[in-house]
Amino acid sequence: MSRVDLHIHTTASDGVLSPAQVVQAAVEKGLIAIAITDHDTTDGLDEAAEAAAGTGLEVIPGIELSAEQGDQEIHILGYYLDHRDAALRDKLGVLRHARRERAWRMVDRLAGMGMPVSWERVVRIAGDTSAFGRPHIARALRDSGFVGSIDEAFDRYIGLRGPAYVARYKLSPEEALRIIADSGGLPVLAHPWRHEEIVPRLVTAGLAGLEAYYPRYSTDESRMLARLAQRHGLIATGGSDFHGYDDGAAQSLGEVPVPERSVERLRALATRRGPEDAA
Ligand code: AMP
Ligand code: ZN
Ligand code: FE
Ligand code: FE
C-alpha cells in the first residue's frame, strides 16, 4: 500500500469510476496524492479537482497518450500540463475522433464475425467519454454474452493480434512528448519494461521521468528501472493504472508502492519549468 498513485483512469476515458468517485476512493484509502491520467483526454480533471477541494488530497493534472514505434506501443504520461491550453485541446480532439472511428470499425468487424454487438450499446457503455477504447468494446462483448470476461474479449478478439483488432492513428513518441511539453507538462514513459532501448532517444527529446513502479513489476524489475531513471537523470514515478474493472484483472488504487519523493520531484520540476520559463 502506498500513499501516492500517479496512473489512474476514470470514466473520462476507459475507467469505470467517475473522477469524483476515484477521488472519494483515494481519500478513503488515505492517499495524499493522485494523478488522473486518462487516455487522450483531460476531461476528468476539473471534476476531480473540485471533488478533492478541502480534502487535503493533491490531484495532479495528467494524461496518457498512446504512441507507436515500429510494432511497439509506447505510452507517454504527462503531468502538470495546462489542460485549458487551446492547442492541446485541438490536438486531443483529433486523437479522440480517430478513437471513435476505430471503435466503430471494430464493432463492424465483430458483426462480420457473427457477434453483432450494437454500436448503441458501446456508446451507452462509453457514457460521457469521447475517448473510445477497447475496454468499452470488451464490456459490450461481455454484456452481450459473447464472452465471459473482459480478459477473454482481449484474448480472443480485440487484443493486438486478435481477429477484430483494428489499429488506429497513433503519434510518434516524440510527437507525444511535444504535445505534453508544449502545454507545460512533464512527459514520463509509462510501463517502460521491455521498452528500455527507447529511453536514450526520449531523453534527448525531453523526457522527464520513467514509470518504475507498476503492477506486476517485481521488486528487482522496479529497482532496475529506477536505476535506469537515475542514470539518465529522470524521475522514477509509478502508479496502479487503475481502471476500476469489475473483473479479475482489476488493479486497486494505491496498491503499487510509489515513493512519495516522486511527487515532490515532479512538483519541483513543474514549478521550475512553470510560467516564468514559458514567458
Ligand atoms: P486502446 O487504447 O483502445 O487500444 O485500449 C487499450 C486499453 O485496453 C489499455 O489502457 C488497457 O486498459 C486495456 N487493456 C489492454 N489489454 C487488456 C487486457 N488483456 N485485459 C484488460 N484490459 C486490457
Ligand atoms: Zn485504459
Ligand atoms: Fe498504458
Ligand atoms: Fe494507463
Side-chain angles (χ1 to χ4, degrees):
M1 191 62 205
S2 161
R3 297 210 297 164
V4 305
D5 190 334
L6 303 179
H7 191 155
I8 298 172
H9 297 274
T10 74
T11 48
S13 65
D14 57 4
V16 172
L17 301 189
S18 70
Q21 287 171 325
V22 164
V23 165
Q24 191 190 338
V27 169
E28 279 166 11
K29 286 196 151 192
L31 305 197
I32 57 169
I34 61 170
I36 303 292
T37 54
D38 275 306
H39 299 285
D40 299 345
T41 184
T42 57
D43 285 351
L45 298 182
D46 287 334
E47 181 185 324
E50 262 169 54
T55 65
L57 175 74
E58 180 184 6
V59 176
I60 298 167
I63 197 160
E64 180 173 25
L65 299 179
S66 308
E68 194 169 46
Q69 174 56 42
D71 60 357
Q72 290 191 0
E73 270 230 24
I74 303 289
H75 291 181
I76 310 288
L77 296 159
Y79 295 112
Y80 290 107
L81 73 179
D82 172 11
H83 62 292
R84 293 187 181 83
D85 183 280
L88 173 71
R89 300 182 79 85
D90 281 355
K91 286 174 201 153
L92 296 179
V94 171
L95 296 175
R96 290 201 298 273
H97 183 78
R99 277 186 171 276
R100 188 185 179 92
E101 213 155 68
R102 177 258 206 154
W104 193 89
R105 288 175 60 205
M106 291 179 69
V107 166
D108 189 48
R109 210 175 261 208
L110 286 165
M113 295 168 59
M115 287 172 285
V117 167
S118 81
W119 176 245
E120 287 67 35
R121 190 192 279 273
V122 175
V123 169
R124 207 178 324 121
I125 288 170
D128 290 336
T129 186
S130 51
F132 284 78
R134 281 180 288 161
H136 299 123
I137 295 176
R139 283 154 65 190
L141 275 168
R142 184 196 56 192
D143 296 353
S144 311
F146 294 120
V147 295
S149 70
I150 302 288
D151 269 353
E152 189 187 345
F154 275 90
D155 287 350
R156 293 181 62 182
Y157 303 117
I158 60 171
L160 193 56
R161 279 163 196 84
Y165 176 78
V166 174
R168 66 187 153 84
Y169 167 71
K170 291 205 191 72
L171 305 162
S172 74
E174 278 85 357
E175 284 171 326
L177 253 67
R178 176 142 299 279
I179 288 174
I180 290 164
D182 282 352
S183 55
L186 303 174
V188 169
L189 180 60
H191 34 77
W193 189 250
R194 296 194 197 289
H195 299 299
E196 296 88 342
E197 68 289 344
I198 202 172
V199 169
R201 194 179 115 190
L202 295 187
V203 168
T204 309
L207 192 70
L210 202 64
E211 190 176 49
Y213 308 95
Y214 191 73
R216 296 179 303 278
Y217 285 7
S218 69
T219 311
D220 276 351
E221 287 166 350
S222 287
R223 199 178 295 136
M224 271 187 262
L225 290 170
R227 227 181 283 132
L228 180 66
Q230 194 178 19
R231 270 206 301 283
H232 288 284
L234 300 170
I235 301 170
T237 72
S240 65
D241 209 353
F242 179 74
H243 283 74
Y245 297 137
D246 42 350
D247 194 74
Q251 290 302 336
S252 298
L253 213 56
E255 298 272 304
V256 171
V258 182
E260 285 170 26
R261 182 152 164 67
S262 302
V263 179
E264 288 151 26
R265 291 185 67 193
L266 283 174
R267 197 190 297 122
L269 188 56
T271 309
R272 214 174 325 132
R273 287 197 190 166
E276 68 268 43
D277 276 10

